[in-house]
């Protein structure tokens, strides 16, 4: 049984006769009247035992999007249900109206819509619904908690999608629309066209030139069906926040843009999230919509407070692709001891694959370098300078091993990684 605010006000009003007519008789009369009203109100309230609740799950929604969870309240009793219904969504689901009032006549049902505005990625849950049935006087109520589980999966927002049209345009320019001068076997013949000034004379097709009595050159296009393997680091360093966003989420944005771009470019894409074990996996080999697979696989990912097991990564890549591939490692350049983990592992991978290491750089480091007015600011600037120098030293070691390094600030990392892919494609290194 629940006591309403009206009963409190009624009890305060009942003190007036007690103050006017002191004595136990007046107080007893007030108590008896209140008790009678409570019992009468409870007797007239609809029984919660005959109330059923059904939920329509909202399904999936992108972060910063909106969704609706629909509750259907059915009254199988003989009295009108005057109820307050509370849907118990966790706070990060952003329910704007979790508590609603409704009135359901006997044998009827009512639908209640709870609007959700999630503020966190992942699987968000509502385990139960609480119903409080009031009588006509609303002095007291019967209460029942109904197990009615619901969930919504909040997907990564893919804000870097806005860069996709421009990157695809650049990729199509390489795809047979212009002559791509590439040494080695990393090209496929596309077509013949007339020679123009500036073309490489090594592209001249002498047989076609003899047949047409005009100089003709071959055009090439990057090979298709190359393998792109993307590894997303989910270890403790991925939990650090850069520009009020976890490194993990920035890595997801970069992985999504690169994966969709590579798929549109005709390449095969495989993705896995890893720390000491594989947390998620997706790829074109499974068939279906690659973007849908990726966002579904990434949605429940969280950074694990453990160290990344670098020694397992070559084996994980080998399990995905035994052939020469573009291996993209979305990780941190300043986590742990890179000379013991990242650098030896990248050296092993670079013996067989084209390796790219992509990392998020904190823009605050650059801001701290500019502030040197006070002694405290000078110390912070020195610390920022050292951090940047250490990152640059790691990058130089990786480049000496033949590894491409993309080190950019959060909003610049996805397009910078896409540009690195296009450069490698144009150079015939895939």
């Amino acid at each position: 049984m629940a006591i309403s605010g009206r009963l409190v006000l009624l009890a305060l009003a009942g003190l007036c006769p007690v103050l006017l007519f002191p004595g136990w008789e007046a107080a007893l009369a007030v108590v008896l009247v209140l008790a009678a009203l409570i019992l009468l109100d409870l007797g007239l309230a609809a029984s919660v035992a005959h109330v059923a609740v059904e939920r329509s799950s909202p399904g999936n929604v992108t972060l910063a999007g909106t969704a609706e969870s629909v509750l259907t309240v059915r009254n199988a009793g003989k009295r009108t249900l005057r109820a307050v219904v509370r849907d118990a969504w966790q706070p990060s689901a952003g329910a704007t109206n979790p508590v609603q009032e409704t009135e359901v006549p006997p044998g009827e049902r009512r639908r209640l819509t709870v609007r959700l505005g999630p503020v966190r990625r992942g699987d968000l849950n509502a385990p139960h619904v609480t119903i409080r049935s009031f009588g006509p006087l609303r002095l007291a109520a019967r209460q029942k908690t109904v197990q009615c589980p619901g969930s919504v999966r909040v997907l990564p927002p893919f804000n870097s999608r806005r860069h996709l049209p421009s990157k695809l345009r650049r990729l199509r320019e390489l795809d047979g629309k212009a002559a791509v001068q590439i040494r080695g076997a990393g090209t496929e013949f596309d077509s013949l066209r007339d020679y123009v000034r500036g073309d490489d004379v090594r592209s001249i097709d002498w047989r076609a030139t003899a047949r047409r009595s005009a100089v003709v050159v071959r055009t090439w296009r990057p090979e298709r069906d190359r393998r792109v393997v993307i590894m997303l680091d989910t270890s403790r360093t991925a939990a650090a926040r850069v520009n009020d966003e976890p490194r993990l989420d920035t890595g997801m944005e970069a992985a999504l843009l690169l994966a969709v771009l590579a798929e549109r470019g005709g390449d095969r894409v495989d993705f896995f999230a890893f720390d000491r074990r594989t947390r998620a996996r997706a790829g074109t080999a499974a068939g279906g919509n690659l973007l849908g697979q990726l966002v579904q696989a990434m949605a429940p990912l969280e950074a694990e407070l453990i160290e990344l097991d670098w020694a397992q990564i070559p084996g994980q890549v080998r399990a995905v692709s035994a052939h020469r591939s573009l291996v993209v490692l979305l990780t941190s350049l300043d986590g742990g001891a890179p000379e013991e983990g990242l650098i030896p592992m990248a050296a092993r991978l670079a013996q067989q694959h084209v390796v790219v290491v992509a990392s998020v750089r904190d823009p605050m480091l650059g801001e701290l370098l500019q502030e040197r007015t006070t002694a405290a600011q000078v110390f912070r600037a020195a610390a920022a300078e050292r951090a940047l120098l250490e990152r640059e030293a790691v990058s130089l070691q990786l480049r000496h091993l033949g590894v491409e390094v993309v080190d950019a600030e959060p909003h610049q990392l996805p397009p910078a990684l896409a540009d690195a892919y296009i450069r490698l494609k144009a150079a015939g290194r895939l």
Side-chain angles (χ1 to χ4, degrees):
M1 182 183 72
I3 305 299
S4 73
R6 289 189 179 186
L7 181 59
V8 176
L9 295 176
L10 190 60
L12 293 175
L15 290 176
C16 295
V18 175
L19 294 176
L20 293 175
F21 306 99
W24 65 268
E25 295 89 350
L28 179 60
V30 170
V31 171
L32 292 176
V33 170
L34 290 177
L37 290 175
I38 291 173
L39 293 175
L40 176 63
D41 204 35
L42 279 177
L44 296 176
S47 173
V48 290
H50 299 102
V51 177
V53 181
E54 298 176 357
R55 182 192 299 276
S56 175
S57 182
N60 299 331
V61 62
T62 58
L63 187 62
T66 58
E68 292 184 348
S69 175
V70 179
L71 298 175
T72 302
V73 181
R74 181 167 56 87
N75 181 14
K78 298 180 179 180
R79 293 190 178 134
T80 298
L81 174 68
R82 304 173 184 87
V84 173
V85 181
R86 181 182 183 275
D87 197 1
W89 284 100
Q90 60 190 89
S92 53
T96 57
N97 56 338
V99 180
Q100 300 185 46
E101 294 188 7
T102 185
E103 186 170 312
V104 187
E108 296 187 13
R109 62 185 67 193
R110 294 290 184 269
R111 297 180 64 186
L112 304 177
T113 301
V114 180
R115 293 181 294 276
L116 306 176
V119 296
R120 184 174 67 82
R121 175 184 48 77
D123 292 327
L124 308 181
N125 301 301
H128 54 258
V129 175
T130 301
I131 300 173
R132 183 172 289 182
S133 172
F134 288 92
L137 300 178
R138 300 185 69 86
L139 297 179
R142 306 168 186 261
Q143 184 167 302
K144 176 186 179 182
T145 297
V146 181
Q147 297 301 318
C148 186
S151 65
V152 58
R153 171 160 286 189
V154 185
L155 306 176
F158 194 17
N159 295 322
S160 58
R161 185 195 299 267
R162 64 182 183 274
H163 300 290
L164 188 58
S166 62
K167 305 306 177 187
L168 284 173
R169 195 177 308 116
R170 288 184 55 192
L171 199 59
R172 292 192 186 102
E173 290 175 359
L174 300 177
D175 195 12
K177 294 188 177 180
V180 181
Q181 300 172 7
I182 305 173
R183 292 178 294 176
T187 60
E188 290 179 351
F189 174 73
D190 181 48
S191 61
L192 297 172
R193 63 171 176 81
D194 291 337
Y195 174 86
V196 295
R197 181 175 296 180
D199 284 339
D200 190 343
V201 294
R202 292 174 296 181
S203 299
I204 296 176
D205 189 317
W206 295 107
R207 291 185 179 180
T209 298
R211 288 194 300 268
R212 294 185 53 184
S213 300
V215 180
V216 176
V217 296
R218 299 187 185 97
T219 61
W220 309 88
R221 61 185 177 190
E223 286 186 83
R224 292 178 174 270
D225 202 26
R226 301 296 91 188
R227 298 296 295 265
V228 179
V229 181
I230 304 172
M231 190 280 291
L232 179 63
D233 181 0
T234 55
S235 66
R236 64 173 184 84
T237 57
R241 301 187 73 86
V242 180
N243 268 12
D244 200 30
E245 180 181 69
R247 281 178 173 171
L248 180 63
D249 288 38
T250 305
M252 289 179 184
E253 287 289 326
L256 287 171
L257 180 61
L258 175 61
V260 175
L261 179 64
E263 185 198 30
R264 301 281 181 86
D267 294 332
R268 297 179 61 184
V269 180
D270 289 284
F271 165 85
F272 68 96
F274 185 80
D275 41 66
R276 289 186 180 177
R277 63 181 180 88
T278 302
R279 304 288 176 175
R281 190 182 295 274
T284 52
N289 179 14
L290 176 63
L291 179 59
Q293 292 181 49
L294 288 172
V295 295
Q296 288 289 341
M298 291 178 179
L301 288 178
E302 297 292 344
E304 303 292 332
L305 300 182
I306 55 179
E307 292 290 342
L308 178 63
D309 190 348
W310 296 102
Q312 289 193 49
I313 293 179
Q316 295 291 328
V317 173
R318 196 180 310 114
V320 173
S321 173
H323 304 286
R324 179 178 173 83
S325 307
L326 171 63
V327 179
V328 180
L329 306 174
L330 288 157
T331 185
S332 173
L333 290 175
D334 52 10
E339 66 278 359
E340 298 178 4
L342 173 61
I343 295 174
M345 182 276 303
R348 288 179 56 190
L349 286 176
Q351 294 175 1
Q352 181 183 358
H353 307 283
V354 179
V355 181
V356 176
V357 174
S359 180
V360 185
R361 185 176 66 248
D362 193 342
M364 187 176 292
L365 296 175
E367 297 172 3
L368 292 176
L369 291 177
Q370 309 301 323
E371 301 174 357
R372 306 191 182 193
T373 306
T374 65
Q377 290 176 343
V378 170
F379 280 112
R380 284 194 288 267
E385 181 73 27
R386 179 174 179 177
L388 290 173
L389 289 174
E390 289 176 348
R391 292 177 69 91
E392 185 60 29
V394 174
S395 299
L396 286 175
Q397 293 183 62
L398 290 170
R399 291 189 177 101
H400 288 160
L401 297 170
V403 176
E404 295 285 330
V405 178
V406 179
D407 186 17
E409 296 181 359
H411 297 297
Q412 299 172 357
L413 182 64
L417 181 58
D419 289 338
Y421 165 76
I422 295 173
R423 287 196 305 270
L424 293 171
K425 191 97 167 174
R429 293 182 59 188
L430 301 189

